[in-house]
């Protein structure tokens, strides 16, 4: 099975940059997207052989997630069941006989870290949520998690230590998530690989210079990791300021 995740930074914009061709090219069983920036009815998008599930933010043009899948789930859950966190369309969970698939668009702590306190609350709630799932059956978690875990995961760690996405607080919370029983699939398979990123700012020709961050992930329950056959970060695919990330089981 092939699992792909992509922060499209606005699905309508990405659709104008070849999204449907890329979707066909990647040929995934599960194609999860974040930051759709849509409200219901704003795009007509369906693919033969795929079911689709959408979680929209209440605020127009903001956040949002979706999953296209060839495999009809037993159950679909939007959000985490916590009112404080479920108004921005950030989480979708699909349940199957043997596993869960969760796509997440983690809140950004924003300039000046003005949303860092909320982000800490979110990280704790999300960790609790996926741990409850993991107690029932293995979980695959994907998405833009808005944190570069280690210095190896971004180009300029020293100058970003107090910036959103690389604060000690965010990195610590991500570490707690991994310690709770989840494997960072790409880093586990590529422990020493440098200069491979999944997001580049649109400013300062960052992608051209490969001044990037690895903030998009596929995490799996530790007991599922032995079934991982391949992980990929598709740095050659454009259409967003992020690129797709993949895990095959």
């Amino acid at each position: 099975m092939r699992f792909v995740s992509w922060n499209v930074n606005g699905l309508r914009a990405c659709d104008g940059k070849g999204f449907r061709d890329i979707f066909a090219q990647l040929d995934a069983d599960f194609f999860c997207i974040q930051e759709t920036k849509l409200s219901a009815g704003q795009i007509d998008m369906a693919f033969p052989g795929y079911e689709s599930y959408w979680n929209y933010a209440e605020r127009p043009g903001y956040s949002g997630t979706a999953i296209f899948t060839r495999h009809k789930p037993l159950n679909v859950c939007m959000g985490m069941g916590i009112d404080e966190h479920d108004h921005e369309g950030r989480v979708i969970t699909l349940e199957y006989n043997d596993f869960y698939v969760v796509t997440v668009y983690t809140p950004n702590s924003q300039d000046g870290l003005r949303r860092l306190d909320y982000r800490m609350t979110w990280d704790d709630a999300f960790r609790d949520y996926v741990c409850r799932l993991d107690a029932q059956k293995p979980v695959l978690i994907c998405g833009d998690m808005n944190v570069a875990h280690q210095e190896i995961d971004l180009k300029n760690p020293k100058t970003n230590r107090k910036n959103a996405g690389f604060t000690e607080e965010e990195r610590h919370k991500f570490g707690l998530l991994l310690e709770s029983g989840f494997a960072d699939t790409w880093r586990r398979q590529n422990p020493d690989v440098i200069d491979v990123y999944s997001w580049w700012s649109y400013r300062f020709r960052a992608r051209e210079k490969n001044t990037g961050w690895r903030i998009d992930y596929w995490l799996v329950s530790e007991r599922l990791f032995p079934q991982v056959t391949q992980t990929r970060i598709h740095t050659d695919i454009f259409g967003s300021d992020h690129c797709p990330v993949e895990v095959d089981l």
Side-chain angles (χ1 to χ4, degrees):
M1 276 190 179
R2 174 169 296 165
F3 299 79
V4 169
S5 174
W6 194 10
N7 178 324
V8 294
N9 192 13
L11 185 56
R12 285 178 294 179
C14 192
D15 196 30
K17 300 174 184 175
F19 175 82
R20 295 174 202 239
D21 290 339
I22 294 164
F23 184 97
Q25 169 193 333
L26 292 176
D27 192 30
D29 292 277
F30 294 82
F31 200 114
C32 306
I33 57 177
Q34 303 87 42
E35 208 171 359
T36 58
K37 296 184 178 179
L38 293 173
S39 300
Q42 284 192 307
I43 198 168
D44 182 11
M45 181 173 285
F47 298 98
Y50 286 86
E51 309 259 344
S52 65
Y53 303 93
W54 304 77
N55 193 2
Y56 304 106
E58 293 178 4
R59 173 179 157 190
Y62 180 71
S63 187
T65 49
I67 302 179
F68 296 90
T69 176
R70 288 177 167 141
H71 307 277
K72 187 174 180 62
L74 300 175
N75 292 294
V76 180
C77 180
M78 303 295 177
M80 295 187 283
I82 303 170
D83 184 69
E84 178 185 4
H85 300 310
D86 286 350
H87 295 275
E88 296 181 351
R90 292 183 177 275
V91 179
I92 303 174
T93 303
L94 304 186
E95 180 183 4
Y96 294 87
N97 285 325
D98 299 319
F99 59 90
Y100 292 97
V101 177
V102 179
T103 192
V104 59
Y105 178 37
T106 302
N108 190 300
S109 295
Q110 300 186 346
D111 292 341
L113 303 179
R114 62 184 184 274
R115 216 180 185 198
L116 180 61
D117 288 345
Y118 173 69
R119 166 67 180 268
M120 296 295 95
T121 303
W122 165 279
D123 281 346
D124 288 340
F126 184 74
R127 185 176 67 256
D128 290 345
Y129 174 70
V130 294
C131 284
R132 289 197 303 272
L133 297 180
D134 185 54
Q136 301 173 55
K137 60 186 83 170
V139 187
L140 297 98
I141 304 164
C142 74
D144 174 2
M145 303 190 76
N146 262 316
V147 60
H149 185 213
Q150 304 290 355
E151 289 191 357
I152 197 174
D153 294 316
L154 72 166
K155 189 70 169 184
N156 295 312
K158 289 183 173 57
T159 56
N160 280 294
R161 288 197 177 279
K162 295 184 179 180
N163 289 339
F166 198 61
T167 63
E168 293 296 329
E169 295 91 336
E170 292 163 311
R171 295 167 63 196
H172 175 68
K173 294 290 189 183
F174 189 78
L176 290 178
L177 176 60
L178 298 183
E179 290 167 12
S180 299
F182 297 96
D184 174 355
T185 58
W186 190 87
R187 182 55 71 196
R188 188 71 68 86
Q189 286 202 337
N190 303 276
D192 302 312
V193 174
I194 63 171
D195 297 331
V196 178
Y197 308 117
S198 66
W199 174 78
W200 304 260
S201 170
Y202 278 135
R203 300 160 63 192
F204 311 120
R205 294 162 49 215
R207 191 155 188 178
E208 180 184 334
K209 297 175 181 177
N210 198 29
T211 305
W213 300 49
R214 189 177 71 92
I215 59 174
D216 301 88
Y217 297 88
W218 274 103
L219 311 181
V220 301
S221 298
E222 285 285 0
R223 61 194 183 281
L224 205 56
F225 184 74
Q227 297 179 43
V228 172
T229 57
Q230 178 176 244
T231 58
R232 298 183 66 187
I233 298 179
H234 292 277
T235 56
D236 58 331
I237 292 179
F238 292 77
S240 169
D241 52 350
H242 297 249
C243 73
V245 296
E246 174 187 329
V247 66
D248 297 351
L249 273 68

